Amino acid sequence: MDEQEYLKSRLDEQAAWYSARSQAAKQSYQRLRALEIVGAATVPFLAAYADKHVAVQVALGVVGVLLAVGAGLLSLHRYQEQWVEYRAMKEALVREKYFFVTRAAPYDGEQPFTLLVQRAEALMGSESSAWVQATRADRTKADGGA
């Protein structure tokens, strides 16, 4: 694989993937947080009328359930962490590419392409390793620490 093919088919595609995943995680996080904010603001309002109307009591229960589900989904999927991590990875890959293209340090010495591949693959590998560790930790918690 030559330099241009690597830049296009590996770095650019990976940066685009991380960017898209970051944006999706950001949107999911912001939607669920907005749901929590609106729900939390609605609870005191509904509580003021709950003793007089059964429908308000039901609505208050529904809002409580939605708040619990939203908080659970935020915790389960870790959207905020994904948003930040994926964005940071995308920026790191783009930074490496621009250092390489401009032959700025550390790519100003011998075999800059080899160094780029090593550094870029190490970045992507570290993110994959972190994902595996986080997934294992989540499974351990779900299994009750076993």
Side-chain angles (χ1 to χ4, degrees):
M1 178 179 288
D2 68 4
E3 292 179 11
Q4 292 305 316
E5 185 178 352
Y6 183 80
L7 290 175
K8 182 180 178 188
S9 68
R10 183 70 171 147
L11 281 189
D12 290 346
E13 285 183 14
Q14 285 296 300
W17 185 88
Y18 282 113
S19 182
R21 296 304 306 150
S22 173
Q23 185 66 28
K26 177 183 177 181
Q27 290 174 348
S28 294
Y29 172 74
Q30 289 178 333
R31 286 182 186 132
L32 286 171
R33 286 294 291 148
L35 173 70
E36 282 186 330
I37 292 166
V38 170
T42 303
V43 167
F45 177 78
L46 291 176
Y49 300 100
D51 61 337
K52 299 175 187 167
H53 304 286
V54 174
V56 175
Q57 293 171 355
V58 171
L60 190 56
V62 169
V63 170
V65 168
L66 290 175
L67 285 171
V69 169
L73 289 173
L74 281 171
S75 176
L76 176 66
H77 294 293
R78 300 179 9 252
Y79 290 121
Q80 184 178 21
E81 292 89 350
Q82 286 181 4
W83 165 23
V84 172
E85 290 168 9
Y86 288 157
R87 179 61 187 222
M89 180 59 69
K90 182 248 182 188
E91 293 301 326
L93 291 174
V94 169
R95 184 176 48 252
E96 291 296 323
K97 177 184 175 181
Y98 285 126
F99 284 159
F100 172 75
V101 169
T102 61
R103 295 301 194 254
Y107 302 107
D108 55 350
E110 293 182 28
Q111 299 184 325
F113 179 59
T114 301
L115 183 59
L116 171 68
V117 171
Q118 291 170 344
R119 290 174 59 107
E121 295 301 325
L123 278 170
M124 291 180 278
S126 69
E127 194 276 331
S128 296
S129 295
W131 179 83
V132 168
Q133 289 175 347
T135 302
R136 285 183 182 154
D138 287 348
R139 261 194 226 135
T140 301
K141 287 178 189 175
D143 292 341

